[in-house]
Amino acid sequence: MKPEGKVTALLPWLFQAHLLGRARRRRPALEDPELVVDAPALEPDPALVDMAASMVSGDVVPVDAVTATSAEDAEALSERQPANEELPLGQAGGGDGHAALISQAFIDALSTGLFDPKWYQATYGLRFATQREAFDDYLRKSRFAPVNPSPRFDSETYHRMYMDVFHAQQSPLQHYLLHGRSEGRQHAPATVRWHPRQIVTSSVVLGEAASTLKVALCLHVFYADFLDRFAEAIARFPIEVDVFLTLAAAEHEEKAQAAFAEHPRVRALHTRVVPNRGRNFGPMLVEFGPQLGEYDLLCHLHSKKSLYSGKEQTQWAEYLIEYLLRDVSVITRLLNAFAEDESLGLYYPTTFWMMPAWVNHQTMNKGFMQTWQRELGLGPIPDFLSYPAGGMFWARPQALRGVIDRGWAYDDFPPEPLPNDNSMLHALERVLGPLVEHRGYRQLFFYPPTGQFTTDSGYITASYHGRLSNHLASIQAHSYISFDVFDTLVRREYMVADYAKLKLGKQLAEQGRVVSARAFVKLRNEAEASLRQRANFQGDVDIVAIYDEIAERLEVSPAQAQAWMRQEFELDLEMIRPKDEMVELFNHLAASGHVLWVISDTYYTRDQVGLMLRKAGVSAAYRLMVSSAEQARKDNGSLWHKVKQDLAAEGVQRHLHIGDNVVADAQMPGDLGLTTFHILHPRDKWRALGFPEVLVGDEALDEGEILKWGRLISEVGRNPFIGE
């Protein structure tokens, strides 16, 4: 959906993918699926610094001013300043060492206008007694959340440009004032990356209905230091809660009792020591699942750490804890929203801002997702979807029927070690959103940059807004650049990859060779699958071998089958169209001296792919790697291993891959530390724009539906960016 107003894409998605690629190394078999070890810190990209330095303006969406952050704060309101009046300064100086530096930064931030306390509290729905209190709140949150100190400074941009600051878990403005400015680092004005629609507003004073909600706080603790972190997070919780605590080790029990047994916000404490099975979901479902059905709401969190850049990273966990548990204004408004609107079933903040946009995707989990769909009776689930990435959320237990009340045992969950992705637990995390909506409830999200609640799930593709020119400088910063082929450089006129097979099948059916066009497509795809299976899914197959297999199955001569093979290719070639902007980019990069590769998973031969690229207008020189010739594939990582070896052999330091397939073109190379730039597949762009779900299931091989919708989707997807 096209956003209202101006959307400026500050940084390329390739930077996000680069971060995730470094953050998803193979790791020990611990509870945290994001645990990563020994990935180096990223250096700022000079092209990105130049880009930020050239920015002169940006849009900011202020949040309506509010009156208090909790019922207790409302009682003390008379002692605090109204939102439209200046706050007293507060502690401006004094102290020594670190305290003195922070005081210095505070005065500097005010004098330069980079911190605006009045704007800050109004935008984020908060209330402070002094300007210094507001500044300290910004310093704490900006270490892990994309909150801005004023319209003049964008925290997210600074962190993305200077990954050393992010890895050090430092506030961007604090670093800029104390170090970055003198080092010549740049900053950009605050910019809105997404304009949420369907805004949900609720009071920041706890309502009567919300005060009576029966809430279960479900915590799974693998790392013992999170016990104190969770306990401190609910110190100012608006209501009392019952805590259901699962512990990975018996030695955590004493600390758990000390943290929660006498906690003033805890009405009852239930603890269990559990095996390392089922990650964070399994213990909650096995130990407490049926009992949770007695509550109005449940909140599920777990300890979460990542290790990269040589030190412990907790920004993702802090981000989730802040907006699920600790921020009193957010939690009060959340409780009021659930109490006032029974259609709300699931809540979580929008996906952690340092993750690439494609994390809001089924990724490798489609097989397990299909199993969940069957078991829960769900309809089709799109590839891009909204779900609580990180596995932490609020929910109405009845909205999770089919999961929470299933009656689980630990043997129902896969044993450790689990892969980085592609397990029933990764799929369970992703199926929660679709399940809630299937039960007739709505999902609610909190967007920290603007401090707004919304039911708009458009954030999942918001990073794909913009235009190619926003990313050109950073793309050109890489000496070697590789491109995917299908839906990246070329598109099919009617979008459906099997349409050429269907058209050939129609001809063969008219000749009496096959029963129907659809029957031929089935035969053709079964022949391909059979060859892969015989090879134990090693290497790849080519179209010549596929039609040799068809010759045997239909009992025709190999020559006849190869003639059909050429017909399929010619029918497909006839429908090949360029993705004009991407082809222009490719030729431009070649003209400016970049070394270009083209890498594709395909059964077509190298010569056949070359003809398609020539038809699309690719005129530059390039190295072509196709899976059928290389006997290795992108989507299982084997071809990327070869690419990485070849890059190392040539001494290449800066390589970038551009493609549309989340797994093959982003996740797999990212796992190997390669930098990627993911663009939208035409179908994903079609869905992101809010157009109807078409060409799925049987419709995908209905020629009438293909002719009706395929060209429209292909034309919409000609440009991979949204909202240009």
Side-chain angles (χ1 to χ4, degrees):
M1 298 176 65
K2 187 174 181 180
E4 301 170 357
K6 174 184 175 185
V7 176
T8 304
L10 289 179
L11 295 170
W13 310 309
L14 62 94
F15 209 71
Q16 298 177 341
H18 188 53
L19 170 64
L20 191 71
R22 292 184 178 276
R24 299 184 74 252
R25 299 290 191 274
R26 301 296 182 233
R27 72 282 306 222
L30 297 178
E31 175 261 0
D32 183 0
E34 287 75 30
L35 184 66
V36 186
V37 183
D38 295 335
L42 302 179
E43 294 298 324
D45 187 330
L48 303 186
V49 175
D50 293 342
M51 186 185 304
S54 68
M55 294 178 180
V56 295
S57 65
D59 298 321
V60 177
V61 179
V63 176
D64 292 337
V66 296
T67 56
T69 59
S70 71
E72 294 175 358
D73 288 339
E75 295 175 0
L77 185 59
S78 60
E79 300 176 8
R80 294 177 177 247
Q81 298 297 314
N84 60 354
E85 293 185 11
E86 294 298 329
L87 295 174
L89 187 64
Q91 181 182 356
D96 53 16
H98 179 71
L101 288 175
I102 299 302
S103 295
Q104 172 190 329
F106 170 54
I107 296 301
D108 203 359
L110 290 176
S111 63
T112 59
L114 292 178
F115 181 68
D116 183 338
K118 184 176 175 181
W119 179 92
Y120 181 75
Q121 73 169 2
T123 299
Y124 298 113
L126 299 165
R127 182 55 57 91
F128 304 99
T130 66
Q131 297 181 44
R132 177 58 189 269
E133 184 181 314
F135 183 70
D136 289 344
D137 185 79
Y138 164 77
L139 292 187
R140 182 182 65 81
K141 287 181 178 173
S142 61
R143 294 184 297 105
F144 55 79
V147 295
N148 295 319
S150 74
R152 299 185 58 188
F153 189 97
D154 195 87
S155 297
E156 180 174 345
T157 299
Y158 197 85
H159 263 154
R160 288 192 183 282
M161 286 196 301
Y162 307 115
M163 296 302 298
D164 57 324
V165 180
F166 175 76
H167 287 161
Q169 303 183 61
Q170 294 180 350
S171 166
L173 180 57
Q174 174 187 330
H175 181 274
Y176 174 75
L177 293 173
L178 296 180
H179 308 288
R181 182 171 49 187
S182 63
E183 295 169 359
R185 304 201 193 200
Q186 304 293 321
H187 73 86
T191 303
V192 168
R193 292 160 173 81
W194 177 56
H195 295 262
R197 298 182 175 184
Q198 296 93 47
I199 302 302
V200 175
T201 58
S202 57
S203 174
V204 293
V205 178
L206 191 69
E208 182 178 352
S211 67
T212 62
L213 289 171
K214 187 178 180 183
V215 173
L217 177 56
C218 305
L219 306 173
H220 177 62
V221 174
F222 188 89
Y223 302 108
D225 57 301
F226 270 76
L227 288 166
D228 290 335
R229 192 171 306 190
F230 288 141
E232 292 168 2
I234 61 171
R236 296 175 62 232
F237 208 74
I239 61 176
E240 291 185 347
V241 297
D242 290 352
V243 174
F244 293 84
L245 185 58
T246 53
L247 305 169
E251 55 265 29
H252 299 344
E253 180 73 42
E254 183 177 351
K255 188 170 185 178
Q257 291 293 329
F260 291 101
E262 302 299 327
H263 197 293
R265 310 313 291 163
V266 175
R267 185 175 60 182
L269 173 65
H270 309 272
T271 64
R272 301 283 193 280
V273 177
V274 299
N276 188 21
R277 190 79 173 249
R279 295 284 172 95
N280 57 292
F281 283 117
M284 177 183 74
L285 295 174
V286 173
E287 302 293 342
F288 303 120
Q291 193 172 348
L292 295 176
E294 302 171 4
Y295 286 80
D296 298 312
L297 295 173
L298 69 87
C299 178
H300 173 64
L301 296 97
H302 61 101
S303 59
K304 188 178 192 64
K305 294 183 181 181
S306 299
L307 300 178
Y308 51 87
S309 73
K311 66 178 295 185
E312 176 185 297
Q313 304 285 300
T314 59
Q315 293 98 317
W316 191 359
E318 288 296 320
Y319 173 84
L320 292 173
I321 293 171
E322 185 70 24
Y323 299 115
L324 287 165
L325 209 61
R326 185 165 48 212
D327 188 305
V328 178
S329 173
V330 170
I331 301 307
T332 301
R333 287 185 281 160
L334 170 68
L335 293 173
N336 284 333
F338 269 97
E340 295 163 4
D341 188 346
E342 293 185 356
S343 73
L344 299 176
L346 185 67
Y347 158 77
Y348 44 93
T350 53
T351 305
F352 182 54
W353 51 286
M354 267 295 186
M355 302 298 286
W358 56 259
V359 80
N360 301 301
H361 192 276
Q362 292 192 39
T363 59
M364 299 179 183
N365 299 290
K366 289 188 176 182
F368 288 104
M369 291 286 287
Q370 290 170 358
T371 299
W372 280 113
Q373 285 174 255
R374 289 193 301 269
E375 292 183 359
L376 296 171
L378 308 181
I381 298 176
D383 289 342
F384 275 89
L385 74 165
S386 51
Y387 72 97
M392 305 191 209
F393 54 87
W394 281 78
R396 293 188 195 274
Q398 57 267 41
L400 300 181
R401 282 183 295 111
V403 171
I404 202 167
D405 57 347
R406 180 166 168 169
W408 294 88
Y410 285 109
D411 287 344
D412 294 328
F413 299 95
E416 298 289 349
L418 292 182
N420 295 345
D421 200 7
N422 193 19
S423 76
M424 65 94 76
L425 287 163
H426 293 103
L428 174 57
E429 183 178 73
R430 286 166 170 80
V431 85
L432 294 179
L435 171 62
V436 166
E437 293 176 358
H438 176 72
R439 297 289 180 225
Y441 295 91
R442 295 187 298 163
Q443 297 192 72
L444 180 67
F445 317 105
F446 182 72
Y447 187 51
T450 62
Q452 294 171 302
F453 284 95
T454 179
T455 53
D456 178 6
S457 63
Y459 73 90
I460 63 176
T461 52
S463 293
Y464 298 97
H465 287 265
R467 53 179 59 87
L468 182 60
S469 59
N470 295 123
H471 312 289
L472 185 58
S474 292
I475 291 173
Q476 292 184 133
H478 297 80
S479 57
Y480 277 56
I481 303 173
S482 59
F483 286 75
D484 173 49
V485 176
F486 297 100
D487 298 307
T488 297
L489 287 171
V490 308
R491 60 189 173 93
R492 291 178 167 96
E493 183 179 10
Y494 295 97
M495 204 276 297
V496 177
D498 279 351
Y499 189 29
K501 304 171 192 174
L502 188 70
K503 294 177 78 170
L504 174 59
K506 188 176 180 180
Q507 295 177 17
L508 296 181
E510 291 171 354
Q511 299 169 16
R513 299 283 193 174
V514 293
V515 175
S516 68
R518 288 193 180 203
F520 175 74
V521 176
K522 182 180 179 181
L523 171 69
R524 159 70 175 77
N525 291 340
E526 285 179 348
E528 181 179 344
S530 177
L531 290 173
R532 295 186 191 284
Q533 187 173 19
R534 282 184 225 164
N536 293 319
F537 300 99
Q538 301 298 308
D540 204 2
V541 300
D542 64 31
I543 195 169
V544 174
I546 292 170
Y547 273 87
D548 283 341
E549 176 72 12
I550 290 174
E552 293 185 14
R553 295 189 178 208
L554 292 182
E555 298 180 345
V556 300
S557 69
Q560 176 63 74
Q562 290 305 312
W564 294 342
M565 179 273 290
R566 290 188 291 274
Q567 280 183 266
E568 179 187 327
F569 169 69
E570 288 165 2
L571 287 167
D572 213 359
L573 178 64
E574 182 183 356
M575 293 185 286
I576 288 296
R577 301 289 184 271
K579 295 191 75 167
D580 299 293
E581 288 80 3
M582 301 306 295
V583 171
E584 290 173 8
L585 171 64
F586 188 94
N587 292 332
H588 167 76
L589 291 170
S592 55
H594 292 79
V595 178
L596 302 180
W597 292 4
V598 175
I599 309 174
S600 180
D601 276 350
T602 180
Y603 42 76
Y604 284 131
T605 66
R606 185 182 283 111
D607 288 342
Q608 289 170 331
V609 173
L611 286 172
M612 290 179 162
L613 292 170
R614 189 181 310 165
K615 182 185 178 185
V618 171
S619 58
Y622 56 88
R623 175 186 178 182
L624 179 58
M625 303 176 72
V626 298
S627 59
S628 61
E630 303 291 338
Q631 286 301 296
R633 291 184 62 84
K634 292 188 298 181
D635 60 10
N636 65 16
S638 55
L639 188 51
W640 289 119
H641 281 282
K642 178 174 176 55
V643 168
K644 188 171 183 178
Q645 290 171 0
D646 290 356
L647 290 170
E650 296 186 28
V652 178
Q653 298 297 317
R654 296 185 68 83
H655 163 260
L656 171 70
H657 178 71
I658 302 173
D660 71 285
N661 187 290
V662 165
V663 173
D665 294 313
Q667 187 175 17
M668 280 294 181
D671 277 347
L672 293 176
L674 298 173
T675 306
T676 64
F677 177 17
H678 181 254
I679 62 174
L680 284 178
H681 184 280
R683 185 186 293 277
D684 292 327
K685 181 176 178 181
W686 174 268
R687 289 167 173 156
L689 291 171
F691 293 131
E693 187 70 40
V694 294
L695 296 180
V696 295
D698 290 341
E699 283 186 5
L701 288 179
D702 184 318
E703 187 167 25
E705 292 296 307
I706 292 173
L707 295 174
K708 178 180 179 181
W709 295 108
R711 181 178 286 175
L712 289 173
I713 298 174
S714 181
E715 286 297 323
V716 165
R718 178 191 59 77
N719 185 328
F721 303 96
I722 298 173
E724 183 168 2

